[in-house]
Amino acid sequence: MGVTALSVLDLVPVRTGQTSAEAIAASLSLAETADRLGYRRFWFAEHHNMPAVASTTPPVLIAAAAMRTSTIRLGSGGVMLPNHAPLIVAEQFAALEAIAPGRIDLGLGRAPGSDPVITQLLRGSGTTSDVEQFPRHVQDIGALVSGDGATLRFTSGGEYTVRATPAPTGSPEVWLLGSSDYSAQLAAAHGLPYVFANHFSGQGLERALDLYRSGYQPSEDHPEPRTFLTVNVVASPTQEEAEARALPQLRMMARLRLNKPLVALETVEEALAAETDAATDQVVEAARSRWFVGTGESVADEVSAFASTYGVDEVMLSPVAGAYESEPRDSAAGRAQTLELVAAAQQRTASATAAAAAPAAR
């Protein structure tokens, strides 16, 4: 299969004592690191009203990242479409495509990204989509960001054309995101690229990929099925440090699963010193078994094996390394270290493979 392409998914984590401004500065710095290291994509998630997550508005974050990067693709992982009017989403991403031509991905998801109260507040701000209308709105956005735009036909016989931007030179690439059979089948039916949110769920991965690939209907832009997977990773110089840095996010996952009150992300020291219980330990253990945590070499090897097992040429890393209290609040030291160590290990493997193959080629 060759070298696995690496990408990044970022939730803009907010740790104890950190402001939103510092968290966003850290994530933009991380985007610069990913760009420098040659990662393929950097996507921002959409979540609302969570003390530990500042990625509430992917388009704004993408625009900021576009000003600080040069080659990496930038996108949403994803825009939760039920929260937004399709035309607004199309206009935002058409504008982003004009800002960073050829570098914009529009990942669309069907989940609300928060609780029912926030969902109602978002829908109360204007005309927005419903989950039941998701398939049609995906099609609408695809048409709106195209050069031809979307044409409305009135019952009286007249027509009205709507474009997301007046004179596009390109369009963002639309992806469907999900962790269920529904999203896989919808992406297949519409001939769209598909991302399985393995970092969040991990359940049903094989079935979703099989449904997507076996049911794929070729489209003009995508004649073949195209997919990659997400995974949570932590890479450090030692296994011990990696396990320690993984603990804050593992404990946050347990809070989510057990419906405990959410708080800012613990520092490594707080997580190590915190009291625990059997239920939390069980969730932490189950989640840890699906994460790739270790040295740069071990994580890179796991990522490569993961890609090979599921037949993908790209894996999107969600770098979930926690921070030590001594680390600057406006830096992403642990997460940047993860990206650097994995990229370096992958490069060493690629170089060794190429060197071994060279004598046979002569």
Side-chain angles (χ1 to χ4, degrees):
M1 178 179 290
V3 177
T4 304
L6 301 177
S7 295
V8 182
L9 174 65
D10 190 41
L11 276 65
V12 193
V14 183
R15 76 183 207 235
T16 302
Q18 192 179 36
T19 66
S20 296
E22 290 167 336
I24 290 172
S27 285
L28 293 178
S29 174
L30 188 67
E32 290 183 289
T33 297
D35 189 39
R36 172 176 56 81
L37 293 172
Y39 280 75
R40 180 176 287 180
R41 310 173 203 278
F42 195 100
W43 284 8
F44 293 98
E46 178 188 336
H47 294 285
H48 301 280
N49 200 39
M50 299 179 69
V53 178
S55 59
T56 57
T57 175
V60 173
L61 297 169
I62 293 166
M67 297 297 99
R68 298 175 60 165
T69 58
S70 58
T71 59
I72 196 168
R73 294 189 67 89
L74 302 166
S76 54
V79 166
M80 298 296 103
L81 190 50
N83 298 336
H84 310 285
L87 177 58
I88 294 298
V89 174
E91 288 179 332
Q92 289 171 339
F93 279 80
L96 289 169
E97 176 66 24
I99 291 170
R103 292 205 289 140
I104 301 300
D105 296 326
L106 171 51
L108 296 172
R110 190 170 65 110
S114 189
D115 57 54
V117 175
I118 294 298
T119 298
Q120 290 302 315
L121 289 173
L122 287 165
R123 292 181 180 181
S125 63
T127 303
T128 56
S129 56
D130 295 319
V131 170
E132 294 77 16
Q133 296 175 307
F134 183 72
R136 180 172 66 82
H137 286 154
V138 169
Q139 287 184 299
D140 290 345
I141 286 175
L144 287 165
V145 299
S146 70
D148 294 333
T151 300
L152 305 177
R153 291 177 173 82
F154 302 123
T155 54
S156 61
E159 294 184 347
Y160 186 86
T161 300
V162 183
R163 294 181 176 86
T165 194
T169 56
S171 60
E173 186 168 64
V174 177
W175 291 74
L176 282 193
L177 285 61
S179 57
S180 67
D181 294 354
Y182 175 89
S183 55
Q185 292 171 311
L186 183 63
H190 289 281
L192 290 171
Y194 171 64
V195 182
F196 183 86
N198 180 73
H199 73 287
F200 179 75
S201 173
Q203 303 299 317
L205 170 57
E206 296 90 344
R207 176 174 169 78
L209 290 184
D210 181 64
L211 287 170
Y212 175 64
R213 289 166 171 159
S214 63
Y216 191 77
Q217 301 298 311
S219 60
E220 182 177 352
D221 292 335
H222 304 285
E224 301 290 336
R226 185 180 177 198
T227 186
F228 63 80
L229 308 173
T230 61
V231 64
N232 292 309
V233 300
V234 179
S236 300
T238 67
Q239 184 72 38
E240 181 181 19
E241 180 184 332
E243 297 291 352
R245 285 191 182 271
L247 191 55
Q249 280 285 2
L250 285 167
R251 284 176 50 81
M252 182 60 66
M253 184 66 70
R255 283 184 172 275
L256 284 167
R257 296 285 189 243
L258 298 173
N259 292 317
K260 292 185 176 182
L262 298 182
V263 297
L265 190 68
E266 295 170 323
T267 63
V268 173
E269 289 89 346
E270 287 174 326
L272 289 171
E275 294 184 1
T276 187
D277 55 68
T280 296
D281 290 343
Q282 184 176 9
V283 175
V284 166
E285 183 178 352
R288 170 63 184 87
S289 69
R290 296 191 297 270
W291 292 15
F292 300 161
V293 180
T295 64
E297 285 75 12
S298 69
V299 171
D301 288 346
E302 286 184 290
V303 168
S304 178
F306 181 68
S308 179
T309 297
Y310 295 105
V312 297
D313 64 359
E314 179 178 351
V315 175
M316 178 167 274
L317 312 182
S318 179
V320 290
Y324 286 92
E325 292 175 0
S326 60
E327 292 171 348
R329 292 195 297 270
D330 60 353
S331 78
R335 292 183 289 148
Q337 177 178 254
T338 291
L339 299 189
E340 289 166 349
L341 290 175
V342 173
Q346 187 191 62
Q347 183 57 49
R348 285 193 292 272
T349 299
S351 297
T353 301
R362 289 199 291 265

